[in-house]
Amino acid sequence: MENTIFCQSCGMPMEDEHYGKNADGTKNEDYCHYCYPNGAFASPDETLEEMIASCVPFVVEAGAAANDEEAKKMLEEFLPTLKRWK
């Protein structure tokens, strides 16, 4: 995962089809299409804590964590390092 590009909001690993869009329709390479669909954040008032809570089930489902508690801990360490949350 050394060269993996992560959404700078939710931390999702991104491939080309996952990129969000700028207001002019061009690809936004910082954010995924869930977080940044059309030139703005889908949930502009979402807090870091809310993002962590919403991402927990996806981390567990992807097999990156064994349970919700482990996923939450991972996200609490990783998400604050991302561009949106710095």
Side-chain angles (χ1 to χ4, degrees):
M1 292 194 78
E2 187 174 307
N3 293 321
T4 302
I5 295 172
F6 295 95
C7 173
Q8 293 297 300
S9 177
C10 71
M12 180 178 87
M14 296 194 303
E15 306 259 340
D16 196 52
E17 67 271 12
H18 300 126
Y19 290 117
K21 298 256 188 247
N22 295 312
D24 64 2
T26 59
K27 176 171 63 173
N28 183 296
E29 295 186 10
D30 286 332
Y31 302 107
C32 73
H33 60 105
Y34 298 112
C35 292
Y36 207 81
N38 295 303
F41 287 110
S43 300
D45 298 324
E46 186 168 30
T47 66
L48 174 58
E49 292 74 23
E50 290 168 335
M51 178 63 77
I52 290 168
S54 66
C55 291
V56 164
F58 297 108
V59 172
V60 174
E61 182 181 313
N67 55 49
D68 288 0
E69 185 177 310
E70 184 179 311
K72 183 178 181 199
K73 184 175 187 218
M74 289 172 53
L75 290 162
E76 287 173 340
E77 292 174 7
F78 181 56
L79 292 190
T81 70
L82 302 177
K83 187 176 186 175
R84 182 176 183 184
W85 309 112
K86 283 188 178 182

